[in-house]
C-alpha cells in the first residue's frame, strides 16, 4: 500500500462540504481538503434512480490516517451512507508528501 492517499466524499451543499473539509483538517486527520461543485450525481437509492446536485470533498492524508479520517467523516456527515473512497498516491513531490505528514502529526503547531 502507498504511504499517502486521497479520500473522496460528497455531500448535499457547499456549507456541508466546507464543514466536512474544515473539521477534518482541524482534527489533523487530513492535511488538506479541496471542494468542488456543484456536480450532478445520478444513483440508485431506496429502489429509485435519483439525480441530485452535490459537492465533492477530496482529502489528502497519510495512509495511516485513513481509519481516523473514515471515522471522522462518518461521525459528522449528514448522509446515512456517505461515499468514502480512498485512492493511493503512487507518486508525488517529496516536499508535498512530507507536508502531508507534518500537518497530520499531533505536534504540528
Amino acid at each position: 500500500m502507498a504511504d499517502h492517499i486521497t479520500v473522496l466524499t460528497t455531500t448535499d451543499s457547499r456549507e456541508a462540504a466546507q464543514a466536512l473539509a474544515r473539521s477534518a483538517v482541524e482534527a489533523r486527520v487530513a492535511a488538506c481538503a479541496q471542494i468542488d461543485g456543484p456536480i450532478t450525481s445520478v444513483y440508485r437509492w431506496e429502489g429509485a434512480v435519483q439525480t441530485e446536485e452535490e459537492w465533492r470533498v477530496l482529502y489528502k492524508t497519510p495512509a495511516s490516517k485513513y481509519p481516523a479520517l473514515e471515522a471522522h467523516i462518518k461521525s459528522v456527515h449528514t448522509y446515512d451512507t456517505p461515499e468514502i473512497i480512498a485512492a493511493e498516491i503512487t507518486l508525488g513531490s517529496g516536499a508535498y508528501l512530507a507536508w502531508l505528514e507534518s500537518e497530520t502529526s499531533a505536534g504540528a503547531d
Side-chain angles (χ1 to χ4, degrees), residues 13-14 18 22 31 38 46 52 72 77 86 103:
S13 71
R14 178 181 307 277
Q18 289 172 343
R22 184 179 235 359
E46 297 180 345
E52 300 291 338
H72 177 82
H77 208 292
E103 289 304 310

Side-chain angles (χ1 to χ4, degrees), residues 53-74:
E53 191 171 82
E54 293 187 299
W55 279 255
R56 185 172 23 226
V57 182
L58 181 67
Y59 304 93
K60 277 75 80 106
T61 195
S64 63
K65 292 288 185 174
Y66 178 80
L69 178 56
E70 179 183 3
H72 177 82
I73 292 169
K74 287 178 177 178

Side-chain angles (χ1 to χ4, degrees), residues 20-58:
L20 284 164
R22 184 179 235 359
S23 65
V25 172
E26 286 175 345
R28 295 200 182 277
V29 293
C32 173
Q34 295 173 318
I35 299 166
D36 62 334
I39 59 171
T40 301
S41 294
V42 180
Y43 55 94
R44 185 176 303 279
W45 183 252
E46 297 180 345
V49 174
Q50 309 286 328
T51 302
E52 300 291 338
E53 191 171 82
E54 293 187 299
W55 279 255
R56 185 172 23 226
V57 182
L58 181 67

